Amino acid sequence: MSWRDDWRRVRAVALKDLTAERRSKSGLNAVTFLGVLVLMLFGFALGPDTESLREAATGAIWLAILFSGVLAFNRSYQLELDGGALEPLLLYPGSRWSIFAGKLLANLAFVGLVELIVIPVALVLFHVSIPDAWAAQLGVTLLGTIGFVTLGTFYAAMSSRSRSREVLLPLLLFPMMIPVLLGAVEASTSLLEGNVMRDAGAWIRMLLVYDVVFLAAALAVFEFVIEV
Amino acid sequence: MSSWIAWPSRVPPEVPVPEYNNAFIIAAFAVTWLAVIGYGLHLRRARQAAEARVQSARSALGGGA
Amino acid sequence: MPATAIPLNPDPGTLALLADGVTRRYGRRWALRGANLAVRPGEVVGLEGHNGSGKSTLLRVFSTLIRATSGRASVLGHDVRERPDWVRGQVALMTYHPGLYDDLTARENLQFAASMLGRDASGIDAALDRVGLLRDGDERVRTFSSGMQRRLSLARLLMQRPRVLLLDEPYNSLDRQGVALVNEVVAEVVRGSEGGAALIVLHDRQSAGSLLDRVEVMFQGRVEGQAEPELPSASEMLAELAS
Amino acid sequence: MESVVNRAATAAPMASREVRWTTVGVAGLVLLVAAQVYGVLTSPPDRDMGHLQKIMYVHVPAAWNAMLAFLLVALASLRYLWKGRLADDLLAASAAEVGMLLTGLTLALGMIWGKPTWGIWWTWEPRLTSTAVLFFMFVAYLILRTFVDDAERRAQWSAVVGLLGALNVPIVYMSVRWWRTLHQMQSSPMTLDSSYTWPLRANAVALMLLMAYAVAHRYRSALMTQTADELMDRLALKGTPGGSRA
């Protein structure tokens, strides 16, 4: 199997997942709505004071993404389990990591779309004006999202096929997410405040290392997760 | 080694040390021993269960095996 | 020693399928308890047995989908555990699940299969035509009847171009033409490829017609005999085991 | 897959190993008592904390050994993925159970120490916070094990989870440390006075011996349970030529 074959498989899995998701629609709407709802709840919990809202904005955004995103990952495997499609999927000869990579891309697109709604809503609700360093902000969001979706897609391969999957996924995933949460929130906050007294660069490097480490690890050991 | 463990440092003999919070010290050691003994009991229970399982398997197999 | 078709010291290289003492446990339940089976190239073998006798599990072991707890299984001379990827390229498994994506059209389902298999998309229309779904190719699978879904998974199987077929109750919910289609495909694969063979789980031997070379019967996780067997009753069997 | 049945059949070396581990356990227990008495009686009170310093003798060894237990989980998981022996999975599970206990103990002792020292039960300090994360990962690992019925699947999944968790520990620690240093000045590091080092080391070694004993004991119980299961398998497969393990 050449790299081209693998890439074709990755693309096929991603396109198939996204097409199915687009046709069923309800999933994306529901998950996005949940994200916005979490933001609202944060607003109520933090009180109407503009200053405290603004300070908590990045943290609230990331928790909203985490809580809504975690619902997306099990869905991605539910698609395979519903009609017994996982069996033929696993029976195609060739690499299995490409299945993971395809689902990862599809989930990235899905969570990215959720963020596309949730983040602007958060900016409005929490009185945050678009920062000057918006490009860097996008980069931080992307890095954090990659780390989150990588491990989310990975652990969902287990949790979706085990008993009580709803509990198991966040239980496995959230402790692993602490560096992502810290890195993304700190980097965003420091960029929002014009990098005063803070070093966004260190956090961005940390996120980068995290993404590379877990992307490589997940691709390497996915075979073990799906094998039996 | 950084701060919070509050690594004890110098001991100036002339400074009288306030004797406070003995309850916390006792609690710390008590919790430790509770954990040690409690886990010891857990180990014993696990071993007994395992032995019982081996026994019942052996007898089901006809005494021998 | 149960009567099986296994020759003494079978040479796996000359067999299409070989199971040698295959066991499989699910939790505390044994689905397979030492199944022996040999299928020679060119053979079409039926597999019968009660529910839970291990037929589907045996098929899945051959397909590499499930690992045997112990024992050995090989396809065309290659151990399924040592060379799973090679085996996946040779066998096609059709289960009672159609294994399709409901929100994709029939054509999209086949396109996905083609990409995963590394085939170009040119065979899709021919496959659809072959199973009689050419006109419904752009309909979503969700709208299909179960018979149509089964036909579609047969089309996917055709695109796979396997040498060994593992079919789990392939005649279910198919009309008469569908049944004939399955039999055509089986005959085509078995005669048309080197070392081709088929193992078919069935309840209704009539459907397979003259296709079957023989029928093996499974009971409680073992292949117990050939042809028309007098199945021993469960209590007799247990009494024998206990002795 | 190796046969545990055959292993259990050679009872004599197993028994002597049992005796050896019991020796380790007893030695650990005796040393722990001795080291605690020695530490409490000999070490002078600290200038700032007074006798509260003595909590260090139980808290710090627990934290160190928790890390050690986690290392053991990671190594056993790695070896399982490499060799595929179910026994390594049982070893990882045994170490995880002891590790969960030790991280829990570390957290409890940290709180007991923190309250009188700083007036707060919890501090977002890198070490303590990382230990808390470690605790959650141990718990998730052990819960995952209870959710999966098939032995091989359970072994593969938990090995993968253990390994990824191990990769995460240093990243969590670094990130929490940066997070803290950014938020407030870290107090200057102090060197440990020599009158405290020996009691601390003795306590750490004692707890390590106890931990080794506990892991070994738990591991052997798990092996025994598996032996029993394999014996039951023999019964289930009685008279089958395929009953022997491949």
Side-chain angles (χ1 to χ4, degrees), chain A residues 107 120 144 225:
Chain A
N107 282 337
V225 171

Side-chain angles (χ1 to χ4, degrees), chain D residues 20 26 67 83 98 135 139 145 199-200 207 217:
Chain D
R20 225 179 306 156
V26 171
M67 291 307 287
K83 300 229 166 139
V98 178
F135 179 69
V139 172
R145 296 187 69 89
L200 181 61
L207 199 63
H217 197 276

Side-chain angles (χ1 to χ4, degrees), chain C residues 1 21 23-28 30 32-34 36 67-71 81 222 241-243, chain D residues 1 149-152 156 228-230 232-233 235-246:
Chain C
M1 199 53 194
T23 71
R24 167 69 201 195
R25 180 173 60 181
Y26 291 110
R28 301 232 40 84
W30 287 91
L32 291 175
R33 296 144 56 94
N36 300 320
R67 269 192 189 178
T69 306
S70 69
R81 204 160 167 165
R222 289 182 198 143
L241 272 178
S243 65
Chain D
M1 214 180 294
D149 294 325
D150 184 68
E152 201 176 347
Q156 291 204 336
D229 289 352
E230 283 192 23
M232 294 308 269
D233 290 357
L235 183 66
L237 298 173
K238 204 171 178 182
T240 316
S244 60
R245 298 233 153 201

Side-chain angles (χ1 to χ4, degrees), chain D:
Chain D
M1 214 180 294
E2 89 192 296
S3 173
V4 184
V5 177
N6 293 339
R7 261 230 207 150
T10 55
M14 211 61 175
S16 78
R17 205 176 301 170
E18 188 79 0
V19 169
R20 225 179 306 156
W21 278 115
T22 311
T23 318
V24 170
V26 171
L29 209 62
V30 170
L31 186 59
L32 189 68
V33 174
Q36 286 190 357
V37 170
Y38 173 64
V40 168
L41 291 185
T42 64
S43 56
D46 173 64
R47 184 187 49 184
D48 301 318
M49 289 183 288
H51 284 297
L52 273 178
Q53 158 274 328
K54 288 176 180 59
I55 298 179
M56 177 183 73
Y57 294 142
V58 281
H59 174 66
V60 176
W64 285 348
N65 281 300
M67 291 307 287
L68 218 57
F70 198 74
L71 197 68
L72 196 57
V73 173
L75 289 178
S77 299
L78 202 61
R79 204 166 94 132
Y80 171 76
L81 290 182
W82 182 27
K83 300 229 166 139
R85 296 187 340 162
L86 226 47
D88 285 329
D89 172 59
L90 298 178
L91 178 61
S94 308
E97 200 180 277
V98 178
M100 185 182 74
L101 178 80
L102 285 173
T103 43
L105 183 64
T106 308
L107 293 177
L109 293 175
M111 288 180 176
I112 291 174
W113 202 0
K115 182 63 184 166
T117 313
W118 299 294
I120 41 172
W121 289 105
W122 180 257
T123 168
W124 291 90
E125 188 281 335
R127 255 173 247 255
L128 200 55
T129 314
S130 309
T131 310
V133 176
L134 200 57
F135 179 69
F136 288 123
M137 290 201 292
F138 273 134
V139 172
Y141 175 95
L142 290 170
I143 288 178
L144 171 76
R145 296 187 69 89
T146 66
F147 280 165
V148 187
D149 294 325
D150 184 68
E152 201 176 347
R153 180 182 273 200
R154 175 170 57 227
Q156 291 204 336
W157 287 10
S158 44
V160 163
V161 167
L163 215 57
L164 258 64
L167 285 179
N168 202 23
V169 168
I171 304 183
V172 168
Y173 177 70
M174 288 309 293
S175 61
V176 179
R177 218 179 66 171
W178 285 343
W179 180 59
R180 283 288 295 178
T181 48
L182 289 174
H183 280 267
Q184 71 181 52
M185 292 303 290
Q186 204 157 18
S187 48
S188 60
M190 291 183 277
T191 47
L192 186 63
D193 190 89
S194 62
S195 52
Y196 301 116
T197 42
W198 279 107
L200 181 61
R201 281 180 195 164
N203 271 292
V205 169
L207 199 63
M208 197 178 81
L209 290 177
L210 276 182
M211 183 189 79
Y213 170 76
V215 172
H217 197 276
R218 190 73 191 79
Y219 173 53
R220 214 172 98 72
S221 295
L223 279 180
M224 283 169 74
T225 308
Q226 207 198 337
T227 306
D229 289 352
E230 283 192 23
L231 286 171
M232 294 308 269
D233 290 357
R234 277 194 183 178
L235 183 66
L237 298 173
K238 204 171 178 182
T240 316
S244 60
R245 298 233 153 201

Side-chain angles (χ1 to χ4, degrees), chain A residues 51-205:
Chain A
E51 212 35 58
S52 58
L53 280 179
R54 199 172 285 160
E55 270 174 29
T58 45
I61 289 174
W62 272 100
L63 284 180
I65 291 170
L66 246 54
F67 281 118
S68 50
V70 89
L71 295 177
F73 303 133
N74 274 332
R75 286 175 53 83
S76 140
Y77 291 92
Q78 197 56 46
L79 184 71
E80 312 292 344
L81 294 171
D82 276 344
L86 189 63
E87 293 193 343
L89 185 65
L90 293 179
L91 284 177
Y92 294 121
S95 60
R96 262 127 181 232
W97 64 260
S98 54
I99 297 172
F100 172 72
K103 289 210 165 287
L104 173 63
L105 287 183
N107 282 337
L108 264 179
F110 187 91
V111 174
L113 285 174
V114 173
E115 287 173 351
L116 215 57
I117 308 292
V118 165
I119 292 177
V121 170
L123 295 184
V124 172
L125 287 180
F126 293 88
H127 311 296
V128 182
S129 50
I130 292 175
D132 299 331
W134 59 269
Q137 285 283 15
L138 277 184
V140 169
T141 310
L142 185 69
L143 284 178
T145 308
I146 289 174
F148 172 52
V149 175
T150 300
L151 285 181
T153 309
F154 184 77
Y155 283 129
M158 290 184 236
S159 64
S160 64
R161 293 187 296 144
S162 76
R163 283 184 279 133
S164 37
R165 68 190 97 159
E166 294 83 4
V167 203
L168 192 55
L169 182 59
L171 216 55
L172 289 172
L173 186 58
F174 285 168
M176 300 291 287
M177 281 299 111
I178 285 163
V180 169
L181 189 68
L182 282 181
V185 168
E186 288 298 315
S188 292
T189 310
S190 88
L191 285 170
L192 271 180
E193 294 175 2
N195 217 355
V196 201
M197 294 288 291
R198 288 162 192 262
D199 191 6
W203 290 114
I204 290 170
R205 274 195 296 279

